[in-house]
Amino acid sequence: MTQEIDLLLIEDNASDAELILRALKKNNLANQVLHVKDGNEALTFLMGQGKYEGTKNIPKVVLLDLKMPKVNGKETLMRIKDNNKIKNIPVVVLSSSREDSDINECYDLGANGYVVKSVESDEFEKTISNIGLYWLTLNEPPQ
Amino acid sequence: MIIANKELVFQHEEKEKRAAELIIANRELIYQNEEKEKRASELIIANNELVFQNEEKEKRAAELIIANKELIFQNREKEKRAAELIIANKELAFQNEEKGKRAAELTIANKELAFQNEEKGKRAAELTIANKELAFQNEEKGKRAAELMIANKELAFQNEEKGKRAAELTIANKELAFQNEEKEKRATELTIANKELKKAEDGIRQLNEELEQKVIQRTVQLESVNKELESFSYSVAHDLRTPLRAVHGYARILKEDHAPSLNPEANRVINNIQSYATKMGQLIDNLLSFSRLGRKELVKVNIPMHDMVVNLCNEIKSENINNTIHFKINDLQSVQGDSVAIKQVWLNLISNAVKYSKLNSKPVIEIGSGVKGDEIDYYIKDNGAGFDMRYASNLFGMFQRLHSDDEFEGTGIGLAIVHRIITKHGGRVWAEGKVNEGATFYFSLPKNASL
């Protein structure tokens, strides 16, 4: 794995992942994307451990689903933001929840953004495209 | 009287005796007088004899001297008898005097008798009066006796009554004694009951304490259940949304990637799949916002209702440029309530009124309020499609709709939200309507809700 990863997608749901990746692909943003299905794997990647040892593991943005098996979204977020080596990596939470409690909790844990996934695929695709374009092309990541 | 009568009889007898004695004395006097006259006549004869004898005197001179001597002697005798007569006369005078005295005495005695008779008459009259008096007194006594009899009867009756009353009193006393006993029994019972009550109270207090503990426990449980429900509802929302998004997304992929190879019918079906997925997404969103309402604490402030409604109507007008709705906003009472929630109420009600008025060429929506007792009633009246009052009770239920989506779009949650918010504020919601003649929705809020 020598390929540079600009975007880490942490999403356990296959259909959501497919729709997200399809939206990114449409905007030619999918080349440097890594999709993992749970928080543990994401952390292993970000820490350069296990099978990710030796890879460049500082993505420009992490898209994090909140509801996941094993280590859920919030715990994953907490672990990233608690770790000095990786805490500067921008994490954008993707969630179906519009609950105030969820939103505030995520910001308290250090989330850099919070986006609600729409049921309507047109709108969802547009949202993902905008996120990708913003974080991968407009935003200057920490060096 | 008897003594007086006897005295009278005695005095009569005495008087008769004296009268008899007087009669005898008178007869004696008469007899003596006759004797004197006889003697006088005898003296005349004697004188004649004397003359003869004088003649014879000479003759009988001797004889005369002797005869004179005889005469002197006889004179002496006569004198003696005269003296005796004087004495007898004196005696008679004395006796007469005595008779006069006795007559005077008799007169006096008669007067005395008359007086006594008078007195007796007086006394008889007095006695008559006294007798009358006595008779009157007897009558009075009789009357009094009768009265006394009546009084006695009365007394007897009263005695009987008293006796009866005494008997009654005795019974009453027995009754009282019985009641006292009963009271004492009851007092004892009450004491026991009080003790039991106290025990019960203690028990209740203990139960209350236990209950309070239970309430606290239940509250904690409820809070945790609420949290569970919260997490459940949003999990459900997530879990439902994700496959919906997939349905919608894959339909889109089908359309995007394979549209040329699909016939028009297949495309129509794909569009339907997408629109129903979208609709379901809205339902889920509404369900979530409804459940969010239940959990959210109300933050009560003073709400300037008129300004709030005017602003909302202006927003709605600017969003619906094509419609010709005329808003007639009357004076609206300000009220205390959760500003965000109440705004949602007005938004839902005004949106509904606009939505159900779309078929009317001249829609008019009137909004107003009125104070009724301790609450303020607000109303919003339209001249739109209205509804059948038979189904009025369904209006505020979750997912309850009186119109199909073909007529008027909707998820059936707007009025349920209105109902929930107003109920949470301690108010009421109701509606009146008639098919094709419009509807009026009302809600009331407490006038002096504590902030």
Side-chain angles (χ1 to χ4, degrees), chain B residues 64-130:
Chain B
L64 274 170
I65 299 162
I66 305 159
N68 273 346
K69 282 176 182 176
E70 189 71 26
L71 269 171
I72 294 162
F73 175 68
Q74 281 177 347
N75 276 343
R76 278 185 192 157
E77 283 299 311
K78 269 202 278 186
E79 278 170 11
K80 276 181 192 173
R81 283 181 188 175
E84 282 171 8
L85 276 171
I86 288 162
I87 291 162
N89 274 340
K90 279 180 182 172
E91 183 75 10
L92 267 173
F94 174 76
Q95 283 177 351
N96 277 341
E97 255 174 61
E98 284 298 306
K99 274 201 268 178
K101 277 179 190 172
R102 282 181 189 171
E105 278 173 15
L106 278 171
T107 308
I108 290 163
N110 276 338
K111 279 179 183 169
E112 180 75 11
L113 268 172
F115 174 74
Q116 284 176 353
N117 278 339
E118 252 174 57
E119 284 298 305
K120 278 200 263 173
K122 278 182 191 168
R123 279 185 195 166
E126 280 173 15
L127 278 171
T128 308
I129 290 163

Side-chain angles (χ1 to χ4, degrees), chain B residues 218-449:
Chain B
R218 288 271 159 82
T219 307
V220 171
Q221 284 172 359
L222 273 174
E223 276 168 1
S224 84
V225 166
N226 255 345
K227 274 183 189 163
E228 276 171 32
L229 257 178
E230 193 177 339
S231 76
F232 168 77
S233 64
Y234 107 94
S235 298
V236 164
H238 284 210
D239 290 349
L240 289 176
R241 266 206 191 117
T242 307
L244 265 183
R245 188 160 48 247
V247 169
H248 201 279
Y250 287 120
R252 181 182 163 86
I253 291 168
L254 198 59
K255 226 163 57 172
E256 278 180 357
D257 293 359
H258 307 284
S261 58
L262 292 173
N263 61 33
E265 177 59 15
N267 277 309
R268 189 187 68 82
V269 171
I270 291 166
N271 283 338
N272 278 353
I273 291 169
Q274 282 196 311
S275 76
Y276 283 110
T278 304
K279 178 75 193 283
M280 192 164 171
Q282 285 170 358
L283 284 171
I284 291 165
D285 285 348
N286 285 337
L287 191 59
L288 275 174
S289 61
F290 183 79
S291 93
R292 209 178 291 126
L293 269 175
R295 299 193 306 271
K296 219 173 171 186
E297 289 285 322
L298 295 178
V299 182
K300 286 189 179 176
V301 293
N302 199 47
I303 303 170
M305 281 296 217
H306 192 264
D307 292 352
M308 179 184 269
V309 170
V310 168
N311 289 338
L312 272 172
C313 288
N314 288 337
E315 277 174 37
I316 287 168
K317 259 190 206 167
S318 65
E319 284 168 11
N320 300 277
I321 305 161
N322 294 336
N323 75 45
T324 56
I325 290 170
H326 173 62
F327 283 105
K328 189 181 168 194
I329 302 167
N330 298 322
D331 190 34
L332 288 169
Q333 291 275 328
S334 291
V335 75
Q336 278 144 19
D338 186 298
S339 188
V340 176
I342 297 296
K343 192 174 178 180
Q344 185 70 52
V345 167
W346 280 119
L347 181 65
N348 290 7
L349 290 176
I350 297 168
S351 304
N352 266 5
V354 170
K355 181 164 74 184
Y356 291 103
S357 297
K358 71 176 186 184
L359 298 179
N360 192 315
S361 56
K362 283 181 182 175
V364 177
I365 294 171
E366 186 186 336
I367 299 170
S369 74
V371 178
K372 255 187 198 168
D374 289 338
E375 56 180 38
I376 306 167
D377 291 350
Y378 297 92
Y379 67 89
I380 173 164
K381 185 181 179 175
D382 65 56
N383 55 356
F387 63 88
D388 190 332
M389 275 302 273
R390 279 180 295 175
Y391 307 117
S393 60
N394 294 343
L395 282 169
F396 298 96
M398 182 83 107
F399 301 129
Q400 296 276 356
R401 299 209 61 213
L402 300 186
H403 298 273
S404 70
D405 262 11
D406 297 342
E407 294 175 288
F408 301 99
E409 283 184 353
T411 57
I413 202 114
L415 288 176
I417 285 171
V418 167
H419 180 261
R420 190 155 199 176
I421 290 170
I422 296 303
T423 306
K424 237 186 151 183
H425 276 81
R428 297 175 296 121
V429 289
W430 67 101
E432 287 165 7
K434 225 175 185 183
V435 175
N436 295 328
E437 286 180 31
T440 309
F441 283 83
Y442 300 87
F443 66 90
S444 70
L445 288 171
K447 199 159 73 177
N448 295 315

Side-chain angles (χ1 to χ4, degrees), chain B residues 209-219 221:
Chain B
E209 278 165 19
E210 285 171 19
L211 261 177
E212 266 170 40
Q213 279 299 317
K214 274 188 189 165
V215 165
I216 291 165
Q217 281 174 12
R218 288 271 159 82
T219 307
Q221 284 172 359

Side-chain angles (χ1 to χ4, degrees), chain B residues 168-206:
Chain B
E168 282 170 17
L169 277 173
T170 309
I171 292 165
N173 275 340
K174 280 180 187 171
E175 183 73 12
L176 267 173
F178 176 73
Q179 284 176 0
N180 276 341
E181 262 174 50
E182 287 296 305
K183 276 201 234 167
E184 270 165 31
K185 277 184 196 165
R186 278 183 196 166
T188 318
E189 283 170 16
L190 275 174
T191 310
I192 292 164
N194 273 340
K195 277 179 190 167
E196 278 172 11
L197 259 177
K198 219 191 166 190
K199 264 190 210 167
E201 267 179 18
D202 288 346
I204 286 169
R205 201 170 298 130
Q206 206 181 321

Side-chain angles (χ1 to χ4, degrees), chain A residues 7 9 16-26 30 33-35 128:
Chain A
L7 188 150
L9 173 63
D16 272 359
E18 190 179 345
L19 292 175
I20 291 166
L21 292 173
R22 182 182 166 94
L24 290 172
K25 215 176 273 174
K26 273 194 181 171
V33 169
L34 175 67
H35 170 218
I128 298 298

